[in-house]
Amino acid sequence: MNLEARKYQFIQELVKVEDESILEKLELVLKANQNDWFDDLSESEKNEIQIGLDQAEKGEVISHEDVMKRFSKWH
C-alpha cells in the first residue's frame, strides 16, 4: 500500500473515532512530529531575528505605512 492510500485509510479510521482521549493522544503524536521552522534556521538567522525582536521591544521600529511611503518609487 502506498503512502497516499495509507493516509486515506487513516483518515477513514480517524473519522470513526469517538473516544476523546484517543484523539488527544493522536494530536500529541502529530504535534511532536512537527518541526518548528525556527529550529531549522542557522545561528546567524536566529541572531538576526533576536536583534529585530530586541529593537521592537525598545520601540526602534518604523511603521509599515512609513516604509511604503519611503519605497513607493519602486512599487
Side-chain angles (χ1 to χ4, degrees):
M1 182 182 311
N2 70 25
L3 182 59
E4 294 302 315
R6 289 177 67 196
K7 288 179 185 179
Y8 183 73
Q9 183 179 6
F10 184 78
I11 291 169
Q12 287 178 321
E13 292 299 316
L14 183 61
V15 170
K16 297 175 191 175
V17 174
E18 298 291 331
D19 187 340
E20 185 84 19
S21 67
I22 292 175
L23 291 176
E24 289 171 0
K25 289 175 186 176
L26 289 170
E27 286 174 337
L28 289 174
V29 169
L30 292 174
K31 286 179 184 176
N33 287 323
Q34 291 178 347
N35 290 337
D36 187 338
W37 61 268
F38 190 80
D39 295 336
D40 294 334
L41 297 177
S42 69
E43 286 305 312
S44 174
E45 291 168 321
K46 289 177 183 178
N47 289 335
E48 292 294 324
I49 290 172
Q50 189 58 53
I51 289 169
L53 291 172
D54 293 343
Q55 288 173 330
E57 254 181 47
K58 294 175 188 174
E60 299 171 356
V61 295
I62 300 172
S63 72
H64 176 73
E65 184 178 293
D66 289 343
V67 171
M68 293 309 291
K69 284 179 188 174
R70 184 174 179 183
F71 294 100
S72 64
K73 62 182 171 185
W74 292 292
H75 190 272

